[in-house]
Amino acid sequence: VQLQASGGGLVQPGGSLRLACVASERTLEDYSMGWFRQAPGKEREFIAATNWNGVNTNYADSVKGRFTISRDNAKITVYLQMNNLKPEDTAVYYCAASLVFTPDNIDFWGDGTLVTVSS
């Protein structure tokens, strides 16, 4: 199983980016999927997750109201829409998939995509 993340880049504060993560196998339709990030010198932290059908979502307090997670099971893809970005959002963002989605129990990790928020 592979998870391929994309969409990172350099953006000014207040700007927006949309990350995408495509799964290589359709079996991941049944998995919860989400995003973590790791800033330089910091531990990886949970950002957002969605259950298998996208009905239930969960966010870290630091991104509530600014980030939106969604998924398209026809494309086996999960998205992270990031608005009103701040310099402290700068990090490598990783997508993840798991039947039981907890930070200590992730079945599959994707490659990271770098988001840099700077003027």
Side-chain angles (χ1 to χ4, degrees):
V1 174
Q2 292 184 335
L3 299 173
Q4 182 65 53
S6 63
L10 174 63
V11 63
Q12 292 186 343
S16 298
L17 283 175
R18 189 176 81 151
L19 306 183
C21 176
V22 182
S24 62
E25 296 187 11
R26 189 154 294 281
T27 51
L28 290 192
E29 287 178 346
D30 299 327
Y31 282 59
S32 293
M33 297 184 72
W35 295 88
F36 291 76
R37 70 186 181 190
Q38 187 167 19
K42 295 187 177 182
E43 294 186 354
R44 187 176 295 183
E45 64 171 336
F46 166 79
I47 296 301
T50 178
N51 71 326
W52 71 275
N53 63 3
V55 171
N56 296 320
T57 57
N58 189 27
Y59 297 92
D61 288 342
S62 59
V63 305
K64 279 182 181 177
R66 300 188 298 122
F67 291 11
T68 303
I69 190 170
S70 61
R71 67 188 293 164
D72 183 342
N73 280 346
K75 298 179 179 179
I76 331 172
T77 300
V78 63
Y79 302 97
L80 186 67
Q81 177 67 44
M82 305 185 295
N83 297 330
N84 190 22
L85 283 160
K86 304 176 181 180
E88 52 264 41
D89 294 318
T90 295
V92 177
Y93 284 69
Y94 298 90
C95 63
S98 194
L99 285 174
V100 179
F101 200 95
T102 61
D104 296 329
N105 186 38
I106 297 297
D107 294 324
F108 304 106
W109 288 99
D111 293 335
T113 184
L114 177 62
V115 173
T116 303
V117 184
S118 175
S119 55

